[in-house]
Amino acid sequence: MRNRLSSHLFALLALIAIEVIGYYAIHKGALIRGYETSWIGAGRDLLIYLPLIVVAFWLTRAQKFKGNWTLYTTAIVLFSVGLLVQYRLYSDPEYNARNKAVARQEKTDTLRMRYINQNYDAAKRQVMGLPAVPPPTDVEAPAKESSYTIASAITSSYTWIPIFSLVAFALAFSFCVSDRFLLWIQRNSFMIVLLTLIPLAAAIVSSSAGKAAGNTTPWEPAKVPFLLGFAGILTARYKDLARTYWGIPRARDIVPLVVMAMIPFIPFFALKDFGQMLIFSGAYATLYLVAVRRWPQLLVFVGSVMLVISILVIGALPRDIQEKFPLLPTIARPIQHALPARIQQRFHLWLDGFDPPSPEESWWKKDYDEALAKDPRMRELADQSEAMKKSVNTDIWFDKLAFQPAQAIFGIASGKTTGRGLGLGFPEVIPIADSDYVYAAIAEEMGLMGGALVVLAVLIFVIAGIRTSIEARDMFTKLCSAGLTAFMGIQALVNIGGITRALPMTGITLPFVSHGGFSLITSFAMLGMLMAFSHRNAQDATAVARAKREPESAIALEAVQ
């Protein structure tokens, strides 16, 4: 695809047409299950494409954008998949119902009666006490109408968050194309990071486990200033890092970087948001690898990272797995005591999620005892016998921790290659399928093909971001581009890997696809920054080419400057 707006605009229009077909498929699937989807919600979602097209023309006409349009197009593809999944989930009366059992029963009754009317003969119907002749099948007459109104659409966060995201995109682009702003960021990078700690400190007081009220993450935008701050100090120090002894930089050069890198880990550790810590670690490692180009340093750094990962994995392995290897339990015991319970939970879910731990396991005992304290009847059952205690422990394990991962795996497996069909799967049984587990909903109803499309779009986006970093002509822009790409690429990898059990689940969102909270706003702000850097690269390349064609003009220009 050529790097012109006309080509990418055509792709965007084709995407809108495919989206309309998807909404119609969801509507038909809902009618089969006895409820009606909201045309108001569908119209609201399709109207969101209008500001997306306006932003594209604003970039071309007002900003004279010369960068890589692939960044924008792939982001909109991911965003469109997210729109479709959100509409599918929130149209289902079971997903947000207070009494999910009643909503599920209504859908089940509708499907059962439809099957009886289509397949039972007169004799079977009369035995069941039904009329011998079934009523005419009329899928256009749903049993339950949608309650979604225009007022609901206007006041919904799913209306305003995409708009705020586009505003964040425009502001990020406008600021990051300015040399003055980027120079100011480099000079004040450390102070920017320190100021960011203020809202993070407030978040520590008002939240836990990386989530605030409404399952939102208001500190998600902290990624951007932390990235800019680390890139700024690394830009000032990267030349000094070349002075090493056996591949290790001098203390006065590496200590400021370590201090800067450790700052965000303090609040995230207090918040128990280990998913964000993992993403920051990957982004910082990427920035260091981009800035440092000597093989001894790279080998020492990569070896150190692999050693830390190995230590964490050994310490977090379930005990029954450790016992299969000689001396491993002895080595892992001190590490295991030092690791937080949340990390050990995640590793057990990853490696042995369908087999609950013993109630005496240190990191699980607290949750087990709390569940028994809340339900005296369950405590009585657990005290009856060891077999009953094991059964109760299994129920608590799946109720508190393993239910969502298990349902996600079942959904992905049932989707197979082509999926169950839009509106015909059961992603609504996953409590947060619109956010952390959105990939499971995609894979269930769109199958391997839909999941592969998402992965392909992420790969194309990351490749375009890497190209932006390679083409940058100054170190700060190069590091920022690499860091932004790493943030979104690693976040997508961790999310998809966690859902498919290729990696431990960390409870983070999928960029551009998960539409709740601040995740979408941050993703579009990062997209605006990346496109600004791509635009600057194109301008620099044009200026260099013009200077080569007109050497006398270039000399005259340097003399004037």
Side-chain angles (χ1 to χ4, degrees), residues 438-499:
V438 67
Y439 187 79
I442 295 169
E444 179 174 353
E445 298 205 335
M446 303 183 195
L448 178 63
M449 295 176 64
L453 172 65
V454 172
V455 173
L456 179 62
V458 171
L459 285 176
I460 294 173
F461 183 89
V462 169
I463 291 171
I466 293 172
R467 180 181 174 185
T468 302
S469 177
I470 292 173
E471 293 175 349
R473 296 184 178 275
D474 64 276
M475 182 54 70
F476 182 70
T477 300
K478 184 183 291 293
L479 291 174
C480 286
S481 300
L484 291 168
T485 304
F487 261 125
M488 287 191 276
I490 295 173
Q491 183 168 335
L493 174 66
V494 171
N495 177 273
I496 296 174
I499 291 172

Side-chain angles (χ1 to χ4, degrees), residues 376-516:
R377 174 59 181 165
M378 190 173 289
R379 178 180 291 277
E380 292 177 6
L381 292 174
D383 292 338
Q384 290 180 5
S385 64
E386 285 298 321
M388 188 59 70
K389 182 178 181 180
K390 183 177 180 181
S391 178
V392 169
N393 181 53
T394 301
D395 290 343
I396 296 174
W397 171 252
F398 279 94
D399 183 58
K400 292 183 71 70
L401 291 176
F403 177 75
Q404 289 187 105
Q407 292 296 332
I409 290 297
F410 294 150
I412 293 173
S414 66
K416 298 182 180 178
T417 304
T418 56
R420 285 178 170 267
L422 287 171
L424 300 178
F426 296 94
E428 63 271 13
V429 301
I430 305 175
I432 50 173
D434 63 302
S435 181
D436 296 354
Y437 283 86
V438 67
Y439 187 79
I442 295 169
E444 179 174 353
E445 298 205 335
M446 303 183 195
L448 178 63
M449 295 176 64
L453 172 65
V454 172
V455 173
L456 179 62
V458 171
L459 285 176
I460 294 173
F461 183 89
V462 169
I463 291 171
I466 293 172
R467 180 181 174 185
T468 302
S469 177
I470 292 173
E471 293 175 349
R473 296 184 178 275
D474 64 276
M475 182 54 70
F476 182 70
T477 300
K478 184 183 291 293
L479 291 174
C480 286
S481 300
L484 291 168
T485 304
F487 261 125
M488 287 191 276
I490 295 173
Q491 183 168 335
L493 174 66
V494 171
N495 177 273
I496 296 174
I499 291 172
T500 57
R501 295 189 68 185
L503 294 171
M505 186 63 195
T506 55
I508 59 174
T509 55
L510 185 58
F512 299 110
V513 182
S514 302
H515 287 193

Side-chain angles (χ1 to χ4, degrees), residues 222-286:
K223 293 177 182 177
V224 176
F226 276 126
L227 169 66
L228 294 176
F230 190 75
I233 193 170
L234 192 56
T235 300
R237 297 272 182 175
Y238 80 97
K239 293 182 179 178
D240 296 330
L241 294 175
R243 303 171 183 173
T244 62
Y245 182 77
W246 292 99
I248 302 176
R250 297 178 301 180
R252 67 180 183 182
D253 297 325
I254 198 65
V255 167
L257 290 175
V258 173
V259 172
M260 176 70 78
M262 290 300 296
I263 287 176
F265 287 90
I266 298 172
F268 286 133
F269 189 86
L271 290 165
K272 298 180 180 179
D273 194 348
F274 297 107
Q276 297 290 0
M277 293 173 63
L278 181 61
I279 294 171
F280 269 82
S281 299
Y284 284 162
T286 301

Side-chain angles (χ1 to χ4, degrees), residues 309-318 322 328 331-337 339 343-344 347:
I309 293 175
S310 301
I311 292 173
L312 290 175
V313 171
I314 290 173
L317 284 173
Q322 293 177 3
L328 192 58
I331 298 173
R333 191 171 293 114
I335 304 170
Q336 206 165 31
H337 286 298
L339 287 177
I343 290 182
Q344 297 183 58
F347 269 82

